[in-house]
Amino acid sequence: MAAVKLYGPLASTATSRALACLLEKQVEYQLIPVDLKKGEQKKPQFLAMQPFGQVPVLQDGALTLFESRAIVRYIAEKYAAQGTIGLLGKSLAERAVIEQWMEVESQTYNPPSSFLVFQLAFAPLWGIPQNQAEIVKNEKKFSKVLDVYEKRLSESKYLGGDEFSIADLSHLPNTEYIVKATGKSELITSRKYVNAWWEDISSRDSWKKIREMSKAGNKK
């Protein structure tokens, strides 16, 4: 049995972010599903690992870690010598730029894109009313964010520089839903450099594997 355990549903953007890093670093793992609809994340045994009742949670030996971006950083650091090399950069300066774009993803890219993903992809499935005014507001906000990304990616192949890093990896889950499940794919595809970046990072073997796992799970 794998020493590393990841708790969370594959449909969760945060879970798939952590899983993508495990796959990039070729870490043997066990994915343990958590049924959010049934409220399994709020049960005592889960709250003992994650007191806020959110996914994912990583267990690696004696370590229990939550928050997907912290998990990504930990995996990339601990398993630096295996799998994809250089996810954290190869110098202090490179690491700083990567961390900068990790923060941009978390604080600027994630809020409007997560809102659109929930409202346009998940709310209809769960019978939750959509807030059209907020959808319009967040689409405009996200579009402005993507204009900044377009400029950055016209100057640099990846967000952190010339090599794929955890900064790019962290954008995979939300962008996948934006392109595939919200009816708003033009936000990405209409921007030359953003779209080229997306086509590049989403064609990586790690993300292809997650897509395959998702399809297999949906057929059950």
Side-chain angles (χ1 to χ4, degrees):
M1 185 176 292
V4 174
K5 297 178 181 179
L6 184 66
Y7 294 81
L10 191 55
S12 155
T13 55
T15 302
S16 60
R17 178 179 293 111
L19 181 56
C21 196
L22 286 168
L23 291 168
E24 284 286 342
K25 299 307 294 180
Q26 299 178 4
V27 177
E28 187 178 353
Y29 68 91
Q30 179 184 5
L31 181 62
I32 301 172
V34 177
D35 193 323
L36 303 185
K37 285 187 177 182
K38 292 181 179 179
E40 289 181 354
Q41 76 280 17
K42 302 298 184 181
K43 292 183 177 180
Q45 59 267 37
F46 190 86
L47 290 173
M49 298 187 295
Q50 217 292 16
F52 299 106
Q54 298 174 335
V55 294
V57 173
L58 181 89
Q59 288 186 329
D60 187 7
L63 175 69
T64 298
L65 189 64
F66 54 85
E67 293 295 341
S68 64
R69 294 167 188 83
I71 292 170
V72 164
R73 289 178 171 99
Y74 168 77
I75 294 165
E77 185 84 50
K78 179 173 180 180
Y79 301 97
Q82 68 186 63
T84 304
I85 304 300
L87 288 181
L88 294 169
K90 297 175 183 176
S91 69
L92 178 60
E94 288 181 8
R95 176 71 180 263
V97 174
I98 289 166
E99 290 290 355
Q100 169 184 271
W101 285 98
M102 285 287 285
E103 288 298 311
V104 172
E105 185 277 323
S106 175
Q107 302 298 322
T108 307
Y109 189 98
N110 183 67
S113 62
S114 286
F115 184 88
L116 292 173
V117 168
F118 180 78
Q119 285 283 313
L120 297 173
F122 288 101
L125 295 176
W126 295 350
I128 298 172
Q130 293 174 308
N131 187 327
Q132 293 299 330
E134 287 298 314
I135 289 172
V136 171
K137 177 181 176 181
N138 279 273
E139 183 177 351
K140 289 180 179 177
K141 185 184 295 184
F142 189 44
S143 184
K144 289 180 180 179
V145 171
L146 287 170
D147 287 343
V148 176
Y149 275 63
E150 181 73 357
K151 184 177 187 301
R152 169 60 178 170
L153 292 165
S154 73
E155 302 164 346
S156 176
K157 183 176 182 180
Y158 298 102
L159 291 171
D162 294 332
E163 303 292 335
F164 178 80
S165 73
I166 60 171
D168 306 290
L169 179 150
S170 289
H171 288 76
L172 281 164
N174 275 17
T175 313
E176 177 82 3
Y177 277 114
I178 291 291
V179 172
K180 303 285 187 179
T182 64
K184 300 292 183 181
S185 61
E186 72 279 0
L187 288 166
I188 301 299
T189 60
S190 67
R191 291 171 168 84
K192 177 181 177 181
Y193 295 102
V194 169
N195 187 58
W197 166 74
W198 168 245
E199 292 291 336
D200 183 328
I201 67 173
S202 64
S203 67
R204 297 182 69 82
D205 289 343
S206 60
W207 198 247
K208 287 180 181 178
K209 175 65 175 176
I210 289 176
R211 283 175 171 170
E212 291 170 3
M213 293 169 67
S214 296
K215 288 180 181 178
N218 290 336
K219 290 179 181 178
K220 291 183 180 179

